[in-house]
Amino acid sequence: MPLGTWLRAGTSAAALVLGMAGTATAAPAPASTASTAQAAVVTLRYDDSRAAGWESAIAAGVASWNANVSSVRLVEAAPGSAAEIVIVATTGWPQATLGPVRPGRQVRVELGSQAVDQGYNKTRIAAHELGHSLGLPDTKPGPCSQLMSGSSAGTACTNATPNTTERSRVQSTYASALAAPAPANGRTLVDAP
C-alpha cells in the first residue's frame, strides 16, 4: 500500500476517534450525580435550652423556614452539643446577630418578652429572628406579608412565613454555601419599633 493511502487512512481514523471522543465528553452527567449536587443541604443546629417559654414558638418558626427553603435545614442540637444558632429568652426587645451563619460558626438570637408584653406574636418573633440568623436584614417599614418587616407590621400581624423574596434570598445564600463559605455578619439587629 502506498504511503499516501496510509496517511489518508490514518487521518480519517484519527478524525473518527477525535469526533467520537468529543461526543463522549459532551454527554450529560449521570442523573445520580446531578441529583446529589442539587440535594446538598446546609444543616444548622439551634440550641433553645435557655429559651424557656418560647419552645412552641421556636418550633413553629423553625418549621416555617424548613417548609419554605430547601438549601438549609434547621435542626435542634443534641443536649450539650455545639449549635450554630443559640436562642435565649430575655426581658428586653427581640434581637439577633445578622448572618448568614455557616456550619461551625455561631450567632445569637434573643427572644425578648418586652415585645410579647406589647402584643406582638411569639411565633412571628421567633421566625423573624431566625431570618436574621439566615442573613436577612429588617425591611422596615413593611407590610405584614413581609416576615422581615418585624414590628413595623403592627401587633395584629401574626404572619410567620417568609415571602417569595425572603425565601429566594435565603435559598440562594445557602445553595452556594459550600462553594463560598462566609462568616456571620456580626451586627446585632434590635427589633424595637
Side-chain angles (χ1 to χ4, degrees):
M1 187 187 262
L3 180 60
T5 304
W6 278 102
L7 288 175
R8 280 192 301 278
T11 303
S12 296
L16 178 64
V17 168
L18 287 175
M20 290 178 70
T23 302
T25 58
S32 62
T33 304
S35 65
T36 301
Q38 291 174 349
V41 175
V42 176
T43 300
L44 300 174
R45 295 157 297 167
Y46 67 91
D47 174 5
D48 65 354
S49 62
R50 295 184 291 158
W54 286 86
E55 296 87 354
S56 62
I58 293 166
V62 165
S64 178
W65 279 108
N66 285 343
N68 284 285
V69 294
S70 60
S71 61
V72 63
R73 183 133 190 95
L74 303 175
V75 298
E76 189 169 5
S81 67
E84 286 80 16
I85 304 171
V86 176
I87 307 171
V88 298
T90 68
T91 57
W93 276 97
Q95 57 186 326
T97 310
L98 179 60
V101 65
R102 301 288 193 207
R105 305 283 183 152
Q106 194 173 74
V107 294
R108 181 178 170 96
V109 168
E110 295 183 12
L111 299 176
S113 62
Q114 191 170 356
V116 176
D117 293 345
Q118 291 196 15
Y120 292 95
N121 179 270
K122 277 183 148 182
T123 301
R124 180 173 167 82
I125 293 169
H128 174 91
E129 299 306 326
L130 288 168
H132 287 320
S133 297
L134 298 174
L136 296 177
D138 286 315
T139 55
K140 295 180 181 180
C144 183
S145 60
Q146 292 177 344
L147 176 60
M148 300 314 293
S149 67
S151 60
S152 71
T155 57
C157 180
T158 61
N159 173 40
T161 304
N163 69 16
T164 304
T165 302
E166 294 162 335
R167 289 191 303 264
S168 177
R169 285 188 64 189
V170 170
Q171 187 69 20
S172 175
T173 296
Y174 285 95
S176 61
L178 298 177
N185 182 294
R187 282 187 344 189
T188 298
L189 302 177
V190 179
D191 288 305

Short mmCIF file of all heavy atoms in Angstrom, two decimals, residues 73-143:
data_model
loop_
_atom_site.label_atom_id
_atom_site.label_comp_id
_atom_site.label_asym_id
_atom_site.label_seq_id
_atom_site.Cartn_x
_atom_site.Cartn_y
_atom_site.Cartn_z
N ARG A 73 -31.38 23.60 56.37
CA ARG A 73 -32.31 22.91 57.27
C ARG A 73 -31.91 23.21 58.70
O ARG A 73 -30.76 23.06 59.08
CB ARG A 73 -32.25 21.41 57.02
CG ARG A 73 -33.22 20.63 57.85
CD ARG A 73 -33.94 19.63 56.97
NE ARG A 73 -35.04 19.01 57.68
CZ ARG A 73 -36.29 19.43 57.60
NH1 ARG A 73 -36.60 20.44 56.84
NH2 ARG A 73 -37.24 18.81 58.25
N LEU A 74 -32.88 23.64 59.49
CA LEU A 74 -32.67 23.92 60.91
C LEU A 74 -33.06 22.69 61.72
O LEU A 74 -34.16 22.16 61.54
CB LEU A 74 -33.49 25.13 61.35
CG LEU A 74 -33.25 26.43 60.56
CD1 LEU A 74 -34.22 27.52 61.03
CD2 LEU A 74 -31.81 26.89 60.72
N VAL A 75 -32.16 22.24 62.59
CA VAL A 75 -32.44 21.08 63.44
C VAL A 75 -32.02 21.40 64.87
O VAL A 75 -31.08 22.16 65.10
CB VAL A 75 -31.70 19.81 62.96
CG1 VAL A 75 -32.16 19.39 61.57
CG2 VAL A 75 -30.20 19.98 63.00
N GLU A 76 -32.73 20.82 65.81
CA GLU A 76 -32.40 21.05 67.21
C GLU A 76 -31.10 20.32 67.56
O GLU A 76 -30.93 19.15 67.21
CB GLU A 76 -33.54 20.56 68.10
CG GLU A 76 -33.36 20.96 69.55
CD GLU A 76 -34.61 20.72 70.38
OE1 GLU A 76 -35.60 20.16 69.86
OE2 GLU A 76 -34.59 21.11 71.55
N ALA A 77 -30.20 21.02 68.22
CA ALA A 77 -28.93 20.43 68.63
C ALA A 77 -29.16 19.45 69.77
O ALA A 77 -30.03 19.66 70.61
CB ALA A 77 -27.96 21.52 69.07
N ALA A 78 -28.39 18.40 69.78
CA ALA A 78 -28.46 17.44 70.89
C ALA A 78 -27.98 18.14 72.16
O ALA A 78 -27.10 19.02 72.10
CB ALA A 78 -27.57 16.24 70.59
N PRO A 79 -28.57 17.80 73.30
CA PRO A 79 -28.16 18.43 74.56
C PRO A 79 -26.64 18.36 74.76
O PRO A 79 -26.03 17.31 74.58
CB PRO A 79 -28.89 17.62 75.62
CG PRO A 79 -30.08 17.06 74.92
CD PRO A 79 -29.61 16.79 73.51
N GLY A 80 -26.05 19.50 75.09
CA GLY A 80 -24.62 19.57 75.35
C GLY A 80 -23.74 19.68 74.13
O GLY A 80 -22.52 19.81 74.24
N SER A 81 -24.33 19.63 72.92
CA SER A 81 -23.50 19.72 71.71
C SER A 81 -23.49 21.16 71.18
O SER A 81 -24.30 21.98 71.58
CB SER A 81 -24.01 18.77 70.62
OG SER A 81 -25.27 19.17 70.17
N ALA A 82 -22.56 21.43 70.31
CA ALA A 82 -22.42 22.77 69.74
C ALA A 82 -23.59 23.09 68.82
O ALA A 82 -24.17 22.20 68.21
CB ALA A 82 -21.11 22.88 68.97
N ALA A 83 -23.91 24.38 68.73
CA ALA A 83 -25.00 24.83 67.86
C ALA A 83 -24.57 26.10 67.15
O ALA A 83 -23.84 26.91 67.72
CB ALA A 83 -26.27 25.07 68.67
N GLU A 84 -25.03 26.26 65.92
CA GLU A 84 -24.74 27.48 65.17
C GLU A 84 -25.65 28.63 65.62
O GLU A 84 -25.25 29.79 65.55
CB GLU A 84 -24.91 27.25 63.67
CG GLU A 84 -23.80 26.43 63.04
CD GLU A 84 -23.92 24.93 63.23
OE1 GLU A 84 -25.02 24.44 63.60
OE2 GLU A 84 -22.92 24.23 63.04
N ILE A 85 -26.86 28.33 66.05
CA ILE A 85 -27.81 29.36 66.48
C ILE A 85 -28.16 29.12 67.95
O ILE A 85 -28.76 28.10 68.29
CB ILE A 85 -29.10 29.34 65.61
CG1 ILE A 85 -28.75 29.49 64.13
CG2 ILE A 85 -30.05 30.43 66.06
CD1 ILE A 85 -29.92 29.26 63.18
N VAL A 86 -27.73 30.03 68.79
CA VAL A 86 -28.02 29.95 70.22
C VAL A 86 -29.19 30.88 70.50
O VAL A 86 -29.12 32.07 70.22
CB VAL A 86 -26.79 30.35 71.06
CG1 VAL A 86 -27.13 30.36 72.54
CG2 VAL A 86 -25.62 29.40 70.77
N ILE A 87 -30.28 30.32 71.04
CA ILE A 87 -31.51 31.08 71.28
C ILE A 87 -31.74 31.19 72.78
O ILE A 87 -31.73 30.18 73.49
CB ILE A 87 -32.72 30.39 70.61
CG1 ILE A 87 -32.44 30.12 69.12
CG2 ILE A 87 -33.97 31.23 70.80
CD1 ILE A 87 -33.48 29.26 68.43
N VAL A 88 -31.91 32.43 73.25
CA VAL A 88 -32.15 32.66 74.68
C VAL A 88 -33.38 33.55 74.86
O VAL A 88 -33.68 34.39 74.00
CB VAL A 88 -30.92 33.29 75.37
CG1 VAL A 88 -29.71 32.37 75.29
CG2 VAL A 88 -30.59 34.64 74.77
N ALA A 89 -34.05 33.38 75.99
CA ALA A 89 -35.16 34.25 76.36
C ALA A 89 -34.61 35.40 77.18
O ALA A 89 -33.74 35.21 78.03
CB ALA A 89 -36.19 33.46 77.17
N THR A 90 -35.09 36.62 76.90
CA THR A 90 -34.65 37.80 77.64
C THR A 90 -35.87 38.64 78.01
O THR A 90 -36.99 38.34 77.57
CB THR A 90 -33.69 38.67 76.80
OG1 THR A 90 -34.41 39.25 75.71
CG2 THR A 90 -32.50 37.86 76.28
N THR A 91 -35.63 39.69 78.77
CA THR A 91 -36.73 40.59 79.14
C THR A 91 -36.79 41.82 78.24
O THR A 91 -37.74 42.58 78.32
CB THR A 91 -36.57 41.06 80.60
OG1 THR A 91 -35.30 41.69 80.74
CG2 THR A 91 -36.68 39.88 81.56
N GLY A 92 -35.80 42.01 77.38
CA GLY A 92 -35.76 43.18 76.52
C GLY A 92 -36.50 42.97 75.21
O GLY A 92 -37.41 42.15 75.10
N TRP A 93 -36.08 43.72 74.18
CA TRP A 93 -36.63 43.58 72.84
C TRP A 93 -35.94 42.44 72.12
O TRP A 93 -34.76 42.18 72.34
CB TRP A 93 -36.48 44.88 72.04
CG TRP A 93 -37.60 45.80 72.35
CD1 TRP A 93 -37.59 46.82 73.25
CD2 TRP A 93 -38.92 45.75 71.80
NE1 TRP A 93 -38.82 47.41 73.31
CE2 TRP A 93 -39.67 46.78 72.43
CE3 TRP A 93 -39.55 44.95 70.87
CZ2 TRP A 93 -40.99 47.02 72.14
CZ3 TRP A 93 -40.88 45.19 70.57
CH2 TRP A 93 -41.59 46.22 71.20
N PRO A 94 -36.65 41.75 71.24
CA PRO A 94 -36.00 40.70 70.44
C PRO A 94 -34.85 41.28 69.64
O PRO A 94 -34.91 42.42 69.16
CB PRO A 94 -37.12 40.22 69.51
CG PRO A 94 -38.38 40.61 70.19
CD PRO A 94 -38.06 41.88 70.92
N GLN A 95 -33.81 40.49 69.50
CA GLN A 95 -32.66 40.89 68.69
C GLN A 95 -31.89 39.65 68.26
O GLN A 95 -32.02 38.59 68.86
CB GLN A 95 -31.76 41.85 69.46
CG GLN A 95 -31.24 41.35 70.78
CD GLN A 95 -30.49 42.43 71.52
OE1 GLN A 95 -29.82 43.28 70.93
NE2 GLN A 95 -30.58 42.42 72.83
N ALA A 96 -31.10 39.82 67.22
CA ALA A 96 -30.34 38.69 66.69
C ALA A 96 -29.11 39.18 65.96
O ALA A 96 -29.07 40.29 65.46
CB ALA A 96 -31.20 37.86 65.75
N THR A 97 -28.12 38.29 65.89
CA THR A 97 -26.93 38.55 65.09
C THR A 97 -27.31 38.33 63.63
O THR A 97 -27.94 37.33 63.29
CB THR A 97 -25.80 37.56 65.46
OG1 THR A 97 -25.62 37.56 66.86
CG2 THR A 97 -24.50 37.94 64.77
N LEU A 98 -26.91 39.28 62.78
CA LEU A 98 -27.19 39.14 61.35
C LEU A 98 -26.21 38.16 60.73
O LEU A 98 -24.99 38.34 60.84
CB LEU A 98 -27.10 40.51 60.66
CG LEU A 98 -27.35 40.53 59.16
CD1 LEU A 98 -28.75 40.01 58.83
CD2 LEU A 98 -27.15 41.94 58.62
N GLY A 99 -26.73 37.11 60.12
CA GLY A 99 -25.91 36.10 59.44
C GLY A 99 -25.63 36.51 58.01
O GLY A 99 -25.63 37.70 57.72
N PRO A 100 -25.42 35.60 57.13
CA PRO A 100 -25.79 34.20 57.24
C PRO A 100 -24.77 33.40 58.06
O PRO A 100 -23.57 33.48 57.81
CB PRO A 100 -25.81 33.71 55.80
CG PRO A 100 -24.82 34.59 55.09
CD PRO A 100 -24.89 35.91 55.80
N VAL A 101 -25.27 32.65 59.01
CA VAL A 101 -24.40 31.78 59.80
C VAL A 101 -24.09 30.54 58.97
O VAL A 101 -24.92 30.08 58.18
CB VAL A 101 -25.05 31.42 61.16
CG1 VAL A 101 -26.30 30.59 60.98
CG2 VAL A 101 -24.05 30.72 62.06
N ARG A 102 -22.88 30.05 59.13
CA ARG A 102 -22.44 28.85 58.41
C ARG A 102 -22.10 27.76 59.43
O ARG A 102 -21.85 28.06 60.60
CB ARG A 102 -21.19 29.15 57.58
CG ARG A 102 -21.37 30.25 56.56
CD ARG A 102 -22.21 29.81 55.41
NE ARG A 102 -22.10 30.78 54.32
CZ ARG A 102 -23.02 30.97 53.44
NH1 ARG A 102 -24.12 30.29 53.48
NH2 ARG A 102 -22.85 31.85 52.48
N PRO A 103 -22.08 26.52 59.01
CA PRO A 103 -21.71 25.44 59.93
C PRO A 103 -20.35 25.74 60.58
O PRO A 103 -19.42 26.19 59.93
CB PRO A 103 -21.63 24.21 59.02
CG PRO A 103 -22.61 24.53 57.94
CD PRO A 103 -22.46 26.01 57.70
N GLY A 104 -20.29 25.53 61.89
CA GLY A 104 -19.07 25.79 62.64
C GLY A 104 -18.96 27.21 63.17
O GLY A 104 -18.08 27.51 63.97
N ARG A 105 -19.81 28.10 62.73
CA ARG A 105 -19.86 29.48 63.23
C ARG A 105 -21.01 29.58 64.21
O ARG A 105 -21.75 28.64 64.40
CB ARG A 105 -20.05 30.48 62.08
CG ARG A 105 -19.04 30.38 60.97
CD ARG A 105 -17.74 31.00 61.38
NE ARG A 105 -16.81 30.94 60.26
CZ ARG A 105 -15.86 31.81 60.08
NH1 ARG A 105 -15.71 32.81 60.91
NH2 ARG A 105 -15.03 31.67 59.08
N GLN A 106 -21.19 30.77 64.80
CA GLN A 106 -22.28 30.89 65.76
C GLN A 106 -22.89 32.28 65.78
O GLN A 106 -22.16 33.28 65.66
CB GLN A 106 -21.78 30.55 67.17
CG GLN A 106 -22.90 30.33 68.16
CD GLN A 106 -22.37 29.84 69.49
OE1 GLN A 106 -21.80 30.61 70.24
NE2 GLN A 106 -22.57 28.55 69.76
N VAL A 107 -24.20 32.33 65.90
CA VAL A 107 -24.94 33.58 66.06
C VAL A 107 -25.85 33.42 67.28
O VAL A 107 -26.09 32.31 67.75
CB VAL A 107 -25.77 33.95 64.81
CG1 VAL A 107 -24.88 34.27 63.63
CG2 VAL A 107 -26.77 32.86 64.48
N ARG A 108 -26.36 34.55 67.75
CA ARG A 108 -27.22 34.55 68.93
C ARG A 108 -28.56 35.20 68.60
O ARG A 108 -28.61 36.23 67.94
CB ARG A 108 -26.52 35.34 70.04
CG ARG A 108 -27.28 35.41 71.35
CD ARG A 108 -26.43 36.18 72.37
NE ARG A 108 -27.15 36.49 73.57
CZ ARG A 108 -27.13 35.78 74.68
NH1 ARG A 108 -26.40 34.69 74.74
NH2 ARG A 108 -27.82 36.15 75.74
N VAL A 109 -29.62 34.57 69.08
CA VAL A 109 -30.97 35.10 68.96
C VAL A 109 -31.50 35.33 70.37
O VAL A 109 -31.43 34.43 71.21
CB VAL A 109 -31.89 34.10 68.21
CG1 VAL A 109 -33.36 34.51 68.33
CG2 VAL A 109 -31.49 33.98 66.76
N GLU A 110 -31.98 36.54 70.62
CA GLU A 110 -32.59 36.86 71.91
C GLU A 110 -34.07 37.12 71.68
O GLU A 110 -34.44 38.03 70.94
CB GLU A 110 -31.92 38.07 72.54
CG GLU A 110 -30.48 37.83 72.90
CD GLU A 110 -29.81 39.00 73.60
OE1 GLU A 110 -30.51 39.94 74.02
OE2 GLU A 110 -28.58 38.96 73.73
N LEU A 111 -34.90 36.29 72.30
CA LEU A 111 -36.35 36.42 72.16
C LEU A 111 -36.85 37.21 73.37
O LEU A 111 -36.99 36.66 74.46
CB LEU A 111 -37.00 35.05 72.06
CG LEU A 111 -36.54 34.23 70.84
CD1 LEU A 111 -37.14 32.84 70.86
CD2 LEU A 111 -36.86 34.96 69.54
N GLY A 112 -37.08 38.49 73.16
CA GLY A 112 -37.42 39.40 74.25
C GLY A 112 -38.89 39.45 74.59
O GLY A 112 -39.74 39.61 73.71
N SER A 113 -39.17 39.35 75.87
CA SER A 113 -40.56 39.37 76.34
C SER A 113 -41.19 40.76 76.26
O SER A 113 -42.41 40.89 76.28
CB SER A 113 -40.64 38.86 77.78
OG SER A 113 -39.90 39.70 78.65
N GLN A 114 -40.38 41.79 76.12
CA GLN A 114 -40.95 43.15 76.02
C GLN A 114 -41.87 43.26 74.81
O GLN A 114 -42.92 43.89 74.88
CB GLN A 114 -39.83 44.18 75.95
CG GLN A 114 -40.33 45.60 76.12
CD GLN A 114 -39.18 46.59 76.30
OE1 GLN A 114 -38.01 46.23 76.36
NE2 GLN A 114 -39.53 47.86 76.34
N ALA A 115 -41.51 42.63 73.70
CA ALA A 115 -42.36 42.66 72.50
C ALA A 115 -43.66 41.90 72.75
O ALA A 115 -44.73 42.34 72.32
CB ALA A 115 -41.61 42.07 71.32
N VAL A 116 -43.58 40.77 73.42
CA VAL A 116 -44.78 39.98 73.72
C VAL A 116 -45.69 40.77 74.65
O VAL A 116 -46.91 40.80 74.46
CB VAL A 116 -44.40 38.62 74.34
CG1 VAL A 116 -45.64 37.83 74.73
CG2 VAL A 116 -43.54 37.81 73.37
N ASP A 117 -45.10 41.43 75.65
CA ASP A 117 -45.88 42.25 76.59
C ASP A 117 -46.64 43.36 75.86
O ASP A 117 -47.71 43.78 76.31
CB ASP A 117 -44.98 42.86 77.66
CG ASP A 117 -44.38 41.81 78.59
OD1 ASP A 117 -44.87 40.65 78.60
OD2 ASP A 117 -43.39 42.14 79.28
N GLN A 118 -46.10 43.80 74.73
CA GLN A 118 -46.76 44.86 73.96
C GLN A 118 -47.73 44.30 72.91
O GLN A 118 -48.32 45.06 72.15
CB GLN A 118 -45.73 45.77 73.33
CG GLN A 118 -45.00 46.59 74.38
CD GLN A 118 -44.26 47.76 73.79
OE1 GLN A 118 -44.48 48.17 72.65
NE2 GLN A 118 -43.36 48.33 74.58
N GLY A 119 -47.86 42.97 72.85
CA GLY A 119 -48.87 42.38 71.98
C GLY A 119 -48.36 41.72 70.71
O GLY A 119 -49.17 41.27 69.89
N TYR A 120 -47.04 41.65 70.50
CA TYR A 120 -46.52 41.02 69.29
C TYR A 120 -46.58 39.49 69.41
O TYR A 120 -46.43 38.94 70.49
CB TYR A 120 -45.10 41.49 68.99
CG TYR A 120 -45.04 42.94 68.59
CD1 TYR A 120 -44.77 43.94 69.53
CD2 TYR A 120 -45.29 43.31 67.27
CE1 TYR A 120 -44.74 45.27 69.16
CE2 TYR A 120 -45.27 44.65 66.89
CZ TYR A 120 -45.00 45.62 67.84
OH TYR A 120 -44.98 46.94 67.47
N ASN A 121 -46.76 38.82 68.29
CA ASN A 121 -46.93 37.37 68.22
C ASN A 121 -45.60 36.64 68.39
O ASN A 121 -44.63 36.90 67.67
CB ASN A 121 -47.56 37.03 66.86
CG ASN A 121 -47.76 35.56 66.67
OD1 ASN A 121 -46.88 34.88 66.17
ND2 ASN A 121 -48.91 35.07 67.06
N LYS A 122 -45.56 35.69 69.32
CA LYS A 122 -44.32 34.95 69.62
C LYS A 122 -43.78 34.17 68.42
O LYS A 122 -42.58 34.16 68.18
CB LYS A 122 -44.56 33.97 70.78
CG LYS A 122 -44.47 34.57 72.14
CD LYS A 122 -44.64 33.46 73.18
CE LYS A 122 -43.83 33.77 74.41
NZ LYS A 122 -43.94 32.70 75.42
N THR A 123 -44.64 33.51 67.69
CA THR A 123 -44.18 32.71 66.56
C THR A 123 -43.59 33.60 65.48
O THR A 123 -42.54 33.30 64.90
CB THR A 123 -45.31 31.83 65.99
OG1 THR A 123 -45.77 30.97 67.04
CG2 THR A 123 -44.84 31.01 64.81
N ARG A 124 -44.24 34.72 65.21
CA ARG A 124 -43.69 35.67 64.22
C ARG A 124 -42.34 36.19 64.69
O ARG A 124 -41.41 36.31 63.90
CB ARG A 124 -44.66 36.83 63.98
CG ARG A 124 -44.12 37.86 62.97
CD ARG A 124 -45.18 38.90 62.63
NE ARG A 124 -44.65 40.04 61.93
CZ ARG A 124 -44.41 40.11 60.62
NH1 ARG A 124 -44.66 39.07 59.85
NH2 ARG A 124 -43.94 41.21 60.07
N ILE A 125 -42.23 36.51 65.97
CA ILE A 125 -40.95 36.99 66.51
C ILE A 125 -39.86 35.94 66.29
O ILE A 125 -38.77 36.25 65.79
CB ILE A 125 -41.07 37.33 68.01
CG1 ILE A 125 -41.98 38.54 68.22
CG2 ILE A 125 -39.69 37.58 68.62
CD1 ILE A 125 -42.38 38.78 69.67
N ALA A 126 -40.14 34.68 66.67
CA ALA A 126 -39.14 33.62 66.53
C ALA A 126 -38.73 33.43 65.06
O ALA A 126 -37.53 33.36 64.75
CB ALA A 126 -39.67 32.32 67.11
N ALA A 127 -39.69 33.36 64.16
CA ALA A 127 -39.38 33.17 62.73
C ALA A 127 -38.60 34.37 62.18
O ALA A 127 -37.66 34.20 61.40
CB ALA A 127 -40.67 32.97 61.94
N HIS A 128 -38.98 35.57 62.60
CA HIS A 128 -38.29 36.80 62.17
C HIS A 128 -36.83 36.78 62.62
O HIS A 128 -35.92 37.06 61.83
CB HIS A 128 -39.02 38.01 62.73
CG HIS A 128 -38.34 39.31 62.48
ND1 HIS A 128 -38.59 40.08 61.36
CD2 HIS A 128 -37.40 39.99 63.19
CE1 HIS A 128 -37.85 41.17 61.40
NE2 HIS A 128 -37.12 41.14 62.51
N GLU A 129 -36.60 36.47 63.89
CA GLU A 129 -35.23 36.47 64.42
C GLU A 129 -34.39 35.38 63.77
O GLU A 129 -33.20 35.57 63.49
CB GLU A 129 -35.23 36.34 65.93
CG GLU A 129 -35.94 37.47 66.67
CD GLU A 129 -35.45 38.88 66.31
OE1 GLU A 129 -34.25 39.07 66.03
OE2 GLU A 129 -36.29 39.80 66.31
N LEU A 130 -34.99 34.22 63.49
CA LEU A 130 -34.27 33.18 62.76
C LEU A 130 -33.92 33.67 61.35
O LEU A 130 -32.85 33.34 60.83
CB LEU A 130 -35.10 31.89 62.68
CG LEU A 130 -35.22 31.12 64.01
CD1 LEU A 130 -36.30 30.05 63.90
CD2 LEU A 130 -33.88 30.53 64.40
N GLY A 131 -34.78 34.47 60.75
CA GLY A 131 -34.49 35.06 59.44
C GLY A 131 -33.22 35.91 59.48
O GLY A 131 -32.42 35.89 58.54
N HIS A 132 -33.01 36.64 60.57
CA HIS A 132 -31.75 37.40 60.72
C HIS A 132 -30.55 36.46 60.72
O HIS A 132 -29.54 36.72 60.08
CB HIS A 132 -31.76 38.23 62.01
CG HIS A 132 -32.65 39.42 61.98
ND1 HIS A 132 -32.78 40.24 60.90
CD2 HIS A 132 -33.45 39.94 62.95
CE1 HIS A 132 -33.63 41.23 61.17
NE2 HIS A 132 -34.06 41.06 62.42
N SER A 133 -30.67 35.35 61.46
CA SER A 133 -29.57 34.37 61.53
C SER A 133 -29.25 33.81 60.15
O SER A 133 -28.11 33.47 59.86
CB SER A 133 -29.94 33.22 62.46
OG SER A 133 -30.12 33.69 63.77
N LEU A 134 -30.27 33.72 59.30
CA LEU A 134 -30.09 33.19 57.94
C LEU A 134 -29.63 34.27 56.96
O LEU A 134 -29.49 34.00 55.76
CB LEU A 134 -31.39 32.54 57.47
CG LEU A 134 -31.85 31.35 58.32
CD1 LEU A 134 -33.22 30.86 57.85
CD2 LEU A 134 -30.84 30.23 58.30
N GLY A 135 -29.42 35.49 57.45
CA GLY A 135 -28.84 36.54 56.61
C GLY A 135 -29.78 37.63 56.16
O GLY A 135 -29.39 38.49 55.36
N LEU A 136 -31.02 37.64 56.64
CA LEU A 136 -31.97 38.66 56.18
C LEU A 136 -32.00 39.85 57.12
O LEU A 136 -32.22 39.69 58.32
CB LEU A 136 -33.38 38.05 56.09
CG LEU A 136 -33.57 36.93 55.08
CD1 LEU A 136 -34.99 36.39 55.16
CD2 LEU A 136 -33.25 37.41 53.67
N PRO A 137 -31.84 41.06 56.58
CA PRO A 137 -31.97 42.27 57.40
C PRO A 137 -33.45 42.64 57.57
O PRO A 137 -34.32 42.04 56.93
CB PRO A 137 -31.24 43.32 56.58
CG PRO A 137 -31.45 42.88 55.16
CD PRO A 137 -31.45 41.36 55.21
N ASP A 138 -33.71 43.63 58.40
CA ASP A 138 -35.07 44.14 58.54
C ASP A 138 -35.49 44.84 57.25
O ASP A 138 -34.66 45.40 56.53
CB ASP A 138 -35.15 45.15 59.68
CG ASP A 138 -35.08 44.46 61.04
OD1 ASP A 138 -35.77 43.46 61.23
OD2 ASP A 138 -34.33 44.95 61.91
N THR A 139 -36.78 44.84 56.99
CA THR A 139 -37.37 45.58 55.85
C THR A 139 -38.44 46.51 56.41
O THR A 139 -39.60 46.41 56.05
CB THR A 139 -37.96 44.63 54.80
OG1 THR A 139 -38.91 43.76 55.44
CG2 THR A 139 -36.89 43.80 54.13
N LYS A 140 -38.03 47.37 57.32
CA LYS A 140 -38.95 48.30 57.99
C LYS A 140 -38.94 49.64 57.28
O LYS A 140 -37.88 50.10 56.89
CB LYS A 140 -38.52 48.51 59.44
CG LYS A 140 -38.62 47.27 60.28
CD LYS A 140 -38.16 47.58 61.70
CE LYS A 140 -38.24 46.37 62.58
NZ LYS A 140 -37.80 46.64 63.94
N PRO A 141 -40.08 50.28 57.18
CA PRO A 141 -41.40 49.74 57.46
C PRO A 141 -41.81 48.80 56.34
O PRO A 141 -41.34 48.89 55.22
CB PRO A 141 -42.29 50.98 57.50
CG PRO A 141 -41.62 51.94 56.56
CD PRO A 141 -40.14 51.66 56.69
N GLY A 142 -42.71 47.91 56.69
CA GLY A 142 -43.17 46.96 55.69
C GLY A 142 -44.49 46.36 56.07
O GLY A 142 -44.92 46.45 57.22
N PRO A 143 -45.13 45.69 55.12
CA PRO A 143 -46.44 45.08 55.38
C PRO A 143 -46.31 43.76 56.14
O PRO A 143 -45.22 43.18 56.22
CB PRO A 143 -46.98 44.84 53.97
CG PRO A 143 -45.76 44.61 53.15
CD PRO A 143 -44.71 45.53 53.73
#
